[in-house]
């Protein structure tokens, strides 16, 4: 059966209490998928010792210097009706006092970087599609911030593709902040129980749903957070969700991001690849949403300038990692049954996004623009009762990859 987007929200009530699951590594080595980059190192053990020390220092410094929010700053509360459509977004969506020469220079610099990326990525994808173009909607908020959504639909190659930019000033319950970050990392430490956390967030997010079942869906999100207590961090990543397994495609996609990571820290790729394998899990299905990529959150373990350059390199590598795969398969022939399988995998995509995705949870809990929050959902999806792929089929092949993490480069 097929469902429209609106009715899918009901689904979240049934499965939002699902327990966590992490797929076990299969230990298999795919020689045919090895790239010239060589084998992947074992994922490094994650440690939060440095983060806890840095967080304590940041909070102590914030208390020493006092709250950095200006006494005449606009209120931080936002709501569902706080978005004002505008014909054209201003040159910057950050508050004037937060500019490059203000108290929070990274806010304006990160926004500038992702605005340039939004334009370059949508231009490249529209060129690949060859038919449709991106429609841009802009909005602002009275308390500062706003956003720009660029959405393409009914294209020759893409059924739906969107790249959203948002700048948010607000406050949120501590549990919402926890949902938006890595579990176990306390970004509201030092605040009284029940006290709302004033914050700034700036990010660029994207989902692309191609028509052809042999063209994978792709998602990315790169973001920067600050709280008024002086705590900051970067997060994000790029991941791929194919309906059918192609080893060359996976080697290219993962190989591109291994090269990106290696330019900044050779430990990044094994760590962030493993993090993506853990994060993009549909716990109630005991399977992953797709075949991963890189994912990171709460990243503040080094000079922010270095992390800004890493985020910039990663977002600017979206088209080189994804574009050639789409170009190679956009005209592949397919059967009706293969299209139905793609629709079922889209159903799994919907399940993850509405139940587990941090960006969706964050947007819904902080009064985000609902059209932008739900932009990630495909226009059509399918749920087929108790579907079990036939043993030895291509569908069974990729299901094994969804249930057992693999190394691709």
């Amino acid at each position: 059966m097929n469902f429209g987007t609106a009715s899918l929200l009901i689904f979240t009530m049934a499965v939002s209490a699902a327990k966590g699951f992490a797929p076990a590594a299969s230990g298999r080595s795919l020689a045919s998928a090895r790239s010239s980059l060589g084998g992947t190192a074992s994922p490094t053990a994650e440690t939060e010792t440095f983060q806890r020390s840095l967080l304590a220092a940041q909070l102590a410094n914030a208390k020493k210097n006092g709250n950095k929010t200006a006494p005449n700053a606009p209120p931080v509360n936002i709501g569902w009706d706080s978005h004002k459509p505008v014909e054209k977004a201003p040159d910057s969506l950050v508050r004037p006092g937060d500019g490059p020469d203000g108290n929070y220079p990274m806010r304006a610099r990160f926004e500038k970087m992702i605005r340039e990326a939004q334009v370059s990525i949508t231009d490249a994808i529209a060129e690949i599609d060859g038919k449709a173009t991106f429609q841009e909607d802009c909005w602002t908020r009275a308390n500062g911030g706003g956003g720009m959504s660029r959405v393409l639909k009914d294209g020759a190659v893409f059924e739906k593709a969107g790249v959203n930019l948002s700048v948010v000033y607000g406050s949120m319950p501590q549990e919402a902040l926890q949902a938006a970050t890595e579990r176990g990392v306390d970004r509201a430490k030092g605040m009284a129980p029940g006290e709302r956390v004033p914050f700034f967030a700036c990010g660029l997010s994207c989902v692309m749903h191609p028509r052809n079942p042999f063209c994978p869906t792709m998602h990315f999100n790169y973001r920067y957070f600050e709280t008024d207590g002086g705590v900051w961090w970067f997060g994000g990543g790029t991941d791929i969700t194919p309906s059918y397994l192609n080893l060359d495609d996976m080697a290219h996609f993962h190989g591109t991001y291994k090269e990106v990571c290696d330019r900044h820290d050779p430990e990044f790729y094994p760590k962030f690849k493993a993090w993506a394998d853990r994060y993009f899990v549909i716990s109630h299905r005991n399977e992953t949403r797709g075949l991963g990529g890189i994912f990171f959150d709460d990243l503040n373990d080094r000079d922010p300038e270095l992390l800004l350059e890493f985020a910039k390199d990663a977002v600017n590598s979206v088209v080189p990692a994804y574009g050639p795969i789409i170009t190679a398969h956009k005209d592949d022939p397919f059967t009706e049954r293969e299209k139905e399988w793609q629709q079922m995998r889209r159903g799994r995509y919907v399940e993850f996004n509405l139940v587990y995705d941090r960006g969706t949870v964050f947007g819904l809990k902080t009064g985000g623009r609902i059209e932008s929050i739900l932009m990630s959902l495909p226009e059509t999806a399918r749920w087929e009762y108790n579907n079990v792929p036939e043993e030895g089929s291509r569908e069974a092949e990729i299901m094994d990859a969804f249930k057992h993490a693999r190394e691709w480069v």
Side-chain angles (χ1 to χ4, degrees), residues 133-195:
T133 58
F134 282 85
Q135 171 189 330
E136 182 175 273
D137 295 323
C138 305
W139 67 94
T140 59
R141 294 188 180 96
N143 68 316
M148 294 176 286
S149 284
R150 287 190 167 196
V151 178
L152 176 154
K153 59 183 181 179
D154 298 326
V157 176
F158 293 95
E159 183 177 290
K160 182 181 180 183
V163 185
N164 290 344
L165 184 150
S166 62
V167 174
V168 182
Y169 291 87
S171 67
M172 62 178 138
Q174 295 181 25
E175 63 270 19
L177 178 62
Q178 183 73 359
T181 60
E182 180 70 358
R183 275 43 172 183
V185 178
D186 186 3
R187 293 305 186 199
K189 187 176 180 179
M191 302 194 71
E195 186 178 359

Side-chain angles (χ1 to χ4, degrees), residues 159 209-210 342-350 378 380-381:
E159 183 177 290
H209 294 289
Q342 179 199 43
Q343 296 289 87
M344 282 188 279
R345 293 313 306 175
R346 284 183 177 179
R348 298 292 205 269
Y349 203 94
V350 169
T380 59

Side-chain angles (χ1 to χ4, degrees), residues 67 69-70 72-79 82 95 98 104 107 141-145 167-173 191 195-201 226-228 365-367:
N67 193 320
T69 303
N72 60 346
V76 295
N77 296 319
I78 60 177
S82 64
R95 293 171 180 166
D98 295 352
Y104 303 86
R107 297 181 177 185
R141 294 188 180 96
N143 68 316
V167 174
V168 182
Y169 291 87
S171 67
M172 62 178 138
M191 302 194 71
E195 186 178 359
R196 293 177 68 88
V197 183
F199 72 92
F200 166 89
E226 283 185 10
T227 70
D228 280 11
K365 285 181 177 287
T366 57

Side-chain angles (χ1 to χ4, degrees), residues 12 86 133 170-171 177 182 278 289 341 343 390:
T12 63
V86 294
T133 58
S171 67
L177 178 62
E182 180 70 358
R278 294 193 306 273
R289 183 180 75 176
W341 175 252
Q343 296 289 87
E390 182 181 350

